[in-house]
Amino acid sequence: MTASKPETAVNIATDQLAAARAVCCLTGAGISAESGVPTFRSPGGFWAGRRPEDLATPEAFLRNPQEVWQFYSWRRELLRGIHPNAGHFALAALTEVVPQLTLITQNVDDLHRLADSDGVLELHGNLWVDRCTRCTRENRLNPAEYSATIPHCDDCCAMMRPGVIWFGESLPIKTLQEAQNASAACDVMLVVGTSSLVHPANALATWAKTNGAFVIEINPEETPLSPLVDLRFALPSGEILPQLVEALRLKRRSHETF
Ligand code: BV8
Ligand code: ZN
């Protein structure tokens, strides 16, 4: 349901969030759009003119490691000097006004952590991590120091790779299980800034709904999930998330005065 008047929708959403014991939030590239990070599938996005299978797969890296490395170096370059926006900060503040929040992201841009959200479940890894192609070594990068050429592992000398999950690769099993458990147990699921096209992340909201959650989608565009959600805000996340957190804070405060 997309409420005709935003204030009605904000009231409905706030009532649901105020009554919730556990809240889950899944974010996608859209929450970082207002920070200036290109999304994947919107015009001018990362995949514009590129096919994901040409660049974000283990086969692509085996076929042409330098080209894939350059794609990620270009994305790291884009991210340098990028900051979290009001949407990221609102989700960090949400932890103060709901009993339990599990934040799950498909994003690899680290902006939730930079907005002081902690315990973020990163389903698709992190762009600021290099991982060894042979052993388990991982290097967390300082944005100022990443290498334009493919580095080699300090432990075993094998090639390093970007610490992200490519298409055709399994997600980190512990992270995925935590995300699935939290989605099944939550009372409200916020789905923010994702086209809901990538599996298995796109199954979390339906899993939440199957288990009785009230599902709220925040996305200016319709997605395959839109017909299934309980409430839709066709608004930018940087605009509506702060409104929801502020309305919830006021509601909490007014209840405390009774
Ligand atoms: C797996 C890291 C098991 C790398 C990424 C056929 C059918 C179904 C599934 C498949 C299939 N063929 C293959 C698959 C599986 C595949 C998949 O789902 N493919 C899709 C494309 C069909 N999935 C996998 O391979 C996954 N692994 O399934 O393992 C397995 C194992 C072995 C063999 C087979 C299977 C791994 C998927 C992970 C891929 N890695 N990222 C990198 O970053 O380079 S995915 C990539 O897409 C990003 O992580 C990104 O986050 C993610 C999803 O995209 P979104 O975040 O939703 O971004 P998008 O641009 O699409 O949408 C942005 C939205 O924001 C838009 O709707 C827009 O309207 C909105 N928006 C814009 N501005 C705002 C906004 N919203 C709010 N506010 C705003 N201001
Ligand atoms: Zn190694």
Side-chain angles (χ1 to χ4, degrees), residues 27-34 38-42 45-47 52-53 55-56 71-72 75 85 105-108 123-125 127 164-171 192-202 217-223 233 235-240:
T27 62
I31 195 167
S32 300
E34 290 157 89
T39 61
F40 282 80
R41 294 166 186 84
S42 310
F46 284 127
W47 301 129
E53 45 280 9
L55 288 163
F71 173 56
Y72 285 92
R75 286 180 52 195
N85 64 60
T105 191
Q106 300 172 89
N107 298 341
V108 297
L123 296 178
H124 296 159
L127 200 53
V164 298
I165 306 297
W166 281 325
F167 290 98
E169 291 187 317
S170 301
L171 275 58
V192 184
T194 179
S195 58
S196 290
L197 293 173
V198 174
H199 182 79
N202 65 353
E217 183 179 47
I218 295 175
N219 191 328
E221 308 288 330
E222 295 249 325
T223 72
F233 289 95
L235 291 166
S237 46
E239 182 182 320
I240 187 64

Side-chain angles (χ1 to χ4, degrees), residues 38-183:
T39 61
F40 282 80
R41 294 166 186 84
S42 310
F46 284 127
W47 301 129
R50 293 180 176 85
R51 293 182 328 138
E53 45 280 9
D54 294 343
L55 288 163
T57 65
E59 295 78 15
F61 189 65
L62 278 177
R63 193 173 48 241
N64 192 338
Q66 196 52 43
E67 184 192 30
V68 172
W69 187 265
Q70 276 165 4
F71 173 56
Y72 285 92
S73 295
W74 171 67
R75 286 180 52 195
R76 285 168 172 167
E77 190 56 38
L78 279 181
L79 277 182
R80 279 203 312 175
I82 290 262
H83 304 289
N85 64 60
H88 297 101
F89 289 116
L91 290 180
L94 188 58
T95 44
E96 295 147 22
V97 282
V98 295
Q100 187 194 336
L101 173 69
T102 304
L103 182 51
I104 308 162
T105 191
Q106 300 172 89
N107 298 341
V108 297
D109 58 28
D110 210 30
L111 290 180
H112 284 302
R113 189 183 62 82
L114 292 173
D116 287 339
S117 283
D118 51 29
V120 182
L121 298 178
E122 293 181 318
L123 296 178
H124 296 159
N126 190 302
L127 200 53
W128 296 113
V129 172
D130 280 346
R131 175 153 44 94
C132 178
T133 53
R134 183 189 300 151
C135 73
T136 55
R137 185 179 176 102
E138 288 198 349
N139 297 337
R140 183 153 199 116
L141 303 177
N142 167 337
E145 73 180 16
Y146 68 86
S147 158
T149 54
I150 301 177
H152 287 74
C153 176
D154 294 338
D155 296 340
C156 75
C157 299
M159 262 197 314
M160 301 296 279
R161 55 163 282 180
V164 298
I165 306 297
W166 281 325
F167 290 98
E169 291 187 317
S170 301
L171 275 58
I173 190 67
K174 190 171 164 302
T175 308
L176 180 58
Q177 266 166 357
E178 264 187 73
Q180 288 168 332
N181 295 344
S183 302

